[in-house]
Amino acid sequence: MSQLLLLRGGRPLSGEVKIQGAKNSVLPILAATLLARGQVVLRSCPRLRDVDASVRILRSLGCDARWEGDDLTVDTTGMDCCGISDDLMREMRSSAVFLGAMLARCGQADLSYPGGCELGPRPIDLHLSGLRELGAEIREEGGFLHCRAPRLTGREILLRMPSVGATENLMLAACGAEGTTVISNAAREPEVEDLQNFLNACGAKVSGAGSSAVAVEGGRRLHGCAYRAMPDRIAAATYLCAVSSAGGDIFLRGAEERHLATVTAALREAGCDIRRDETGISAVCRGRLRAIRPVQTAPYPGFPTDAQAVLMAALLRSRGATVFEENIFASRYRHVGELARMGADIRVAGRVAVVTGVEQLHGAPVRCTDLRGGAALCVAALAAEGETRISQICHIDRGYADIARDLTALGADARRADEKENDS
Ligand code: UD1
């Protein structure tokens, strides 16, 4: 039965939550386990719908994956298949990263095209052209990709744009190539560096991640390891926006401000007091926020597209108007229509959205359009008068282990309910 999230706004937040491991690190790392012979233990792995989908993909390939508490142990020794079914591919758009790992592990991969998604078209041309440059033969046929690479050879690959997924896919394939691969104009996101650290913990030789040139010395035999992924910077950004919206005083244990500098700078400009120490980030916010200078999403270290919706939600009751410019995805303002139901004043023209603060928001029935758009509805609901009923929360479950639990821990009035229970 599908579930709703019921949120009653108007309470300031207070308390502490522990920030989960990063979804966008754990997903490529789970694909990377295909390269390791022996057990990989992912410590404190977040239980997300996308992680579940990755686990199902691994099992469908013949690998063993099991939970022990919060740790996920993967052993890919038994892998006996090099194809991923269309159903599994469709469950998670980022499943494309299995391609590079499968090519490195078994020299072939058959899977369906991940296709478009709720953020607009999601092409993988950069992944495919890079893999071809390493020597893979790729046939695209009726939505399916048939990839063969009896031998991959390291070389220099220049990405047309710094795609996170393409950088990661090529790093994985390059581990199985002979010689050295250098990826230029690589994505610099911290999750790319986390993947490098994981691969090196398994015995790979990868360097440069975090800069725009990543080098991989291929052909090494990788072993298992125990690894803890970095804290989820977008979950941390979400809770910082939550307290900015509702007001209050919270502590995010484990959050790393150096990964979040553009988000914390924007929230400080809006009037929040944000501090960090070696254990996490604290935020104190009182009263209405101020509008801020234009927010332009950009590849890291620019403002993350994944934090655009939650920051927008935090500013709905600000004094003044803030301009947003979305430069990464074509269709990333789908939350705007839902926020408008709660009384928000947002005008969209192409890639630009202008948010003019209103005095008051009100609860309403709203629907998640995508993962971060869904989180934005929660952020807005915390500042709204009355109850907000959020449906289609399966989108939120893709990236937050339990957002209702975390918000409740912070003092919010938030709970999940079955859709039916709510009707009666
Ligand atoms: C990753 C993140 C996602 C985040 C995004 C941008 C994961 C699992 N997901 O997605 O949360 O929003 O980075 O920070 O890590 N592009 C092409 N051709 C390609 C690949 C990408 O044109 O072959 C374009 C995309 O359409 C988009 C831009 O490049 O406009 C950035 O996409 P990319 O960095 O690849 O995002 P993902 O890896 O899919």
Side-chain angles (χ1 to χ4, degrees), residues 134 154-159 170 174 179-186 207 212-217:
L134 293 177
R155 53 165 298 165
E156 192 163 341
I157 299 169
L158 172 65
L159 293 180
L170 294 172
T180 302
T181 299
V182 177
I183 307 166
S184 303
N185 197 25
S207 57
S212 32
V214 178
V216 181
E217 275 180 39

Side-chain angles (χ1 to χ4, degrees), residues 23-25 27-28 94 119 121-128 160-166 168 187 189 191 233 298-299 304-306 327-330 332 372:
K23 167 179 93 72
N24 288 354
S25 283
L27 299 181
S94 50
L119 307 181
R122 206 102 177 228
I124 56 164
D125 55 308
L126 295 170
H127 305 230
L128 301 185
R160 173 170 49 79
M161 62 169 94
S163 154
V164 176
E168 293 168 342
E189 269 67 0
E191 292 81 5
R233 62 193 168 102
T305 174
D306 287 349
N327 296 308
I328 307 293
F329 290 108
R332 208 159 197 185
R372 306 301 171 187

Side-chain angles (χ1 to χ4, degrees), residues 243-364:
V243 70
S244 308
S245 176
D249 180 349
I250 66 167
F251 181 67
L252 303 178
R253 186 163 297 281
E256 290 256 17
E257 202 200 347
R258 69 196 160 96
H259 298 149
L260 278 167
T262 49
V263 177
T264 50
L267 292 173
R268 284 194 184 105
E269 189 183 339
C272 298
D273 181 11
I274 298 175
R275 291 164 199 236
R276 76 181 151 103
D277 62 26
E278 55 297 341
T279 59
I281 301 181
S282 58
V284 180
C285 308
R286 308 261 181 244
R288 283 176 72 182
L289 302 181
R290 294 186 288 273
I292 58 175
R293 282 169 293 174
V295 178
Q296 288 146 339
T297 66
Y300 193 84
F303 190 91
T305 174
D306 287 349
Q308 176 254 102
V310 287
L311 179 62
M312 183 180 283
L315 290 168
L316 295 177
R317 292 178 57 244
S318 62
R319 295 180 198 280
T322 301
V323 175
F324 284 79
E325 189 179 314
E326 171 57 51
N327 296 308
I328 307 293
F329 290 108
S331 179
R332 208 159 197 185
Y333 287 134
R334 293 180 58 205
H335 48 281
V336 163
E338 301 301 310
L339 292 173
R341 288 168 167 253
M342 301 172 71
D345 177 353
I346 308 168
R347 266 155 232 204
V348 176
R351 61 171 57 179
V352 173
V354 181
V355 178
T356 305
V358 294
E359 286 265 339
Q360 194 53 54
L361 297 168
H362 51 80

